[in-house]
Amino acid sequence: MAKSLPAADEVAQTQAPRSSLSPDAARNLAHTTKSVPQMQAISSRWLLRILPWVQVSGGTYRVNRRLTYTIGDGRMDFETQGTDIRVIPQELREITALRDFDDDEVLTALATQFERREVEPGTVIAQTGAEADRVVLIAHGKVDKLGADEYSTAADASHGTLTGGDYFGDQCLGGKKGRWEFTYRAITPCTLMVLPRKAFKQVASRAPQLGEHIADALSRPQPLMNRRGEAEIEVASGHDDEPALPGTFADYELAPREYPLSVAQTVLRMHTRVADLYNEPMDQTDQQLRLTIEALRERQEHELVNNRDFGLLHNADLKQRISTRTGPPTPDDMDELLSMRRKTKFFLAHRRTIAAFARECTRAGIYAPGTEFNGHHVFAWRGVPFLPCNKIPISDRLTSSVIALRTGEEDEGVIGLHQTGIPDEYEPSLSVRFMGIDEKAVISYLVSAYYSVAVLLPSALGILENAEIGQYDDSRSRA
């Protein structure tokens, strides 16, 4: 027979009587110490802190620059359906010789002549000195551009890395046969779209206007420009006598870019009963506003990095974009990125990208000391702070980017744009407006943040692309 449990009064009789007040009873007369509401989505937001913010009183900032000649150095986009890749006819205008060619039917005929080719790492796509008989568009992968240097005639010095969207071989579209000036070798598995010169001539024979356009483009004299593509300012120097000095002027862009302020907004709602009664020890309205503003500032930084109109990742000049040579971000890659501009003040990267670069430094036997920055000890390379930014995306293939910045108007760098002094301003360029109380006694506040970012000179912003962050010692072998 099962043994029965003792009754509650029997248990109480067996326990010793208390000689003082119990903690459970005492808590009924005590206040708890509470934290303010915590929020996991709050990040360091270094970009908002390092940008010098410029007042934009009229809501729009215009960047005036010297006249720059466009030379058709854009990148290709491709149409992808499953595993099928096609050349978009209009994208062929990114090729220098086809820029401003306006016959879409001819471009469509050219696009259909491209042949898809898959190449393995190490494959030589074009060899120095061989006949240049095709145009090659890189749909996916990395290609090393190799040539001779000052002290060697062997084509083994790297002259850069080409990635998806780049092209080479457009010189074969001219009337004369040419030779490859560089060797192009696949670094990774590559998908190429190739237009043989023979196929191009077949299309050109049916469309005389195509040949005429290319001949005119190739024979047109190039305007005088400096190494940045700006209209040259002629200056005489080194003369002793009295030669006629050149007359010159600094020409300006006729249609300078304008940056209107963007906005992030939300409506904060709170019942009047909550706002009236539950304000000790913390004001409910203040805490709701604090968390809402944190979310707006997070969105603001995300837009400054990723917005397609003004975000840093989408507005870097193509000449200021480079790709990693071997996959992960290496010291050589970072040195090349650093050498592309004067006064690089910051690197921005996802924390996982910074960790991948640190692993490469360790693998190369390099100690990268940190630096003190704004009261924080941060990772650095060549004395330039490496600041974390979780708004820089990581692709499904575990690749990300590193952003290099020169900032400030005085250095013709990158600047943040905002407008202070707006109505109902709660923080600089952020307003909180009372919208009223509805029939359900719910208070509404319109919370708005105004911002943008401008790149004063193309060289102020650089991107290291296609940085692989998932490579570890146990997942690959090194020579």
Side-chain angles (χ1 to χ4, degrees), residues 66-120:
R66 285 179 55 192
L67 177 64
T68 302
Y69 296 108
T70 303
I71 58 176
D73 58 355
R75 285 183 173 176
M76 299 286 180
D77 286 329
F78 299 88
E79 180 183 357
T80 303
Q81 296 181 353
T83 59
D84 187 26
I85 299 177
R86 299 178 183 177
V87 175
I88 301 174
Q90 291 73 19
E91 289 294 310
L92 294 175
R93 294 192 180 98
E94 295 297 333
I95 297 176
T96 304
L98 296 177
R99 180 166 291 274
D100 298 327
F101 184 67
D102 57 3
D103 194 324
D104 286 345
E105 292 185 5
V106 176
L107 292 178
T108 301
L110 271 181
T112 60
Q113 298 298 315
F114 279 85
E115 304 169 358
R116 176 173 174 170
R117 296 182 186 176
E118 304 287 340
V119 298
E120 296 299 319

Side-chain angles (χ1 to χ4, degrees), residues 59-64 255-261 309-310 417 452 454:
T60 300
Y61 187 90
R62 177 181 296 165
V63 178
N64 290 305
R257 179 169 181 179
E258 294 184 344
Y259 293 85
L261 291 182
D309 291 332
F310 57 83
L417 308 177
S452 189

Side-chain angles (χ1 to χ4, degrees), residues 122-130 143-148 153-160 162 168 179-186:
T123 302
V124 175
I125 304 169
Q127 182 70 47
T128 301
V143 175
D144 205 359
K145 181 180 178 181
L146 303 171
T153 57
D156 55 3
S158 178
H159 288 250
L162 307 182
F168 60 91
R179 301 283 176 180
W180 294 112
E181 298 180 3
F182 298 94
T183 294
Y184 296 88
R185 185 172 61 200

Side-chain angles (χ1 to χ4, degrees), residues 220-477:
R220 189 181 305 131
Q222 293 294 324
L224 294 176
M225 64 180 75
N226 60 22
R227 63 187 180 90
R228 297 292 188 182
E230 297 173 329
E232 187 67 74
I233 296 178
E234 297 186 51
V235 177
S237 61
H239 49 271
D240 294 325
D241 298 325
E242 299 179 352
L245 299 179
T248 189
F249 64 97
D251 206 354
Y252 302 140
E253 290 182 343
L254 296 180
R257 179 169 181 179
E258 294 184 344
Y259 293 85
L261 291 182
S262 184
V263 61
Q265 291 180 308
T266 189
V267 177
L268 172 62
R269 295 186 175 92
M270 183 185 304
H271 200 281
T272 52
R273 181 173 64 250
V274 173
D276 291 343
L277 300 180
Y278 302 101
N279 289 306
E280 290 294 339
M282 302 173 201
D283 188 285
Q284 294 285 352
T285 302
D286 287 345
Q287 292 303 317
Q288 287 289 302
L289 276 176
R290 181 181 67 84
L291 297 175
T292 301
I293 290 172
E294 292 284 0
L296 278 179
R297 293 304 191 193
E298 292 291 327
R299 174 60 64 87
Q300 176 180 347
E301 186 176 61
H302 179 275
E303 292 292 299
L304 294 181
V305 173
N306 296 288
N307 188 282
R308 299 198 68 86
D309 291 332
F310 57 83
L312 298 179
L313 286 179
H314 297 283
N315 282 269
D317 189 86
L318 292 172
K319 292 182 180 179
Q320 296 294 324
R321 295 176 181 269
I322 59 173
S323 183
T324 58
R325 289 184 49 77
T326 60
T330 64
D332 288 341
D333 295 326
M334 294 306 303
D335 281 343
E336 185 175 357
L337 181 64
L338 187 63
S339 69
M340 296 173 68
R341 72 200 45 77
R342 57 182 169 86
K343 293 186 178 181
T344 300
K345 293 186 177 180
F346 314 101
F347 293 123
L348 283 177
H350 195 281
R351 282 184 170 85
R352 294 184 63 185
T353 307
I354 298 175
F357 176 62
R359 288 195 298 271
E360 293 302 309
C361 291
T362 301
R363 186 175 287 114
I366 298 174
Y367 171 66
T371 186
E372 293 298 322
F373 180 74
N374 284 9
H376 299 266
H377 187 78
V378 298
F379 188 75
W381 180 248
R382 307 296 190 196
V384 179
F386 228 127
L387 304 178
C389 179
N390 64 350
K391 311 306 187 302
I392 299 177
I394 296 175
S395 72
D396 295 337
R397 297 185 177 184
L398 295 181
T399 61
S400 190
S401 301
V402 178
I403 301 176
L405 293 169
R406 180 178 72 242
T407 57
E409 281 188 306
E410 64 282 358
D411 288 325
E412 300 173 311
V414 179
I415 58 173
L417 308 177
H418 70 175
Q419 184 180 138
T420 59
I422 57 178
D424 300 310
E425 189 170 58
Y426 191 83
E427 291 183 358
S429 201
L430 184 146
S431 66
V432 178
R433 287 189 171 183
F434 175 69
M435 298 177 64
I437 304 174
D438 64 15
E439 65 278 4
K440 297 181 180 179
V442 175
I443 308 172
S444 296
Y445 298 93
L446 175 63
V447 188
S448 307
Y450 299 94
Y451 55 86
S452 189
V453 62
V455 183
L456 301 187
L457 280 183
S459 61
L461 171 64
I463 308 284
L464 176 65
E465 301 177 312
N466 305 310
E468 298 178 11
I469 64 172
Q471 300 285 0
Y472 296 86
D473 282 336
D474 58 355
S475 64
R476 62 173 175 159
S477 60

Side-chain angles (χ1 to χ4, degrees), residues 97-98 101-111 113 173 198-215:
L98 296 177
F101 184 67
D102 57 3
D103 194 324
D104 286 345
E105 292 185 5
V106 176
L107 292 178
T108 301
L110 271 181
Q113 298 298 315
L173 300 181
K198 182 179 179 180
F200 168 77
K201 293 180 70 174
Q202 290 176 353
V203 175
S205 65
R206 300 191 300 267
Q209 67 273 28
L210 176 59
E212 293 172 0
H213 176 87
I214 291 178

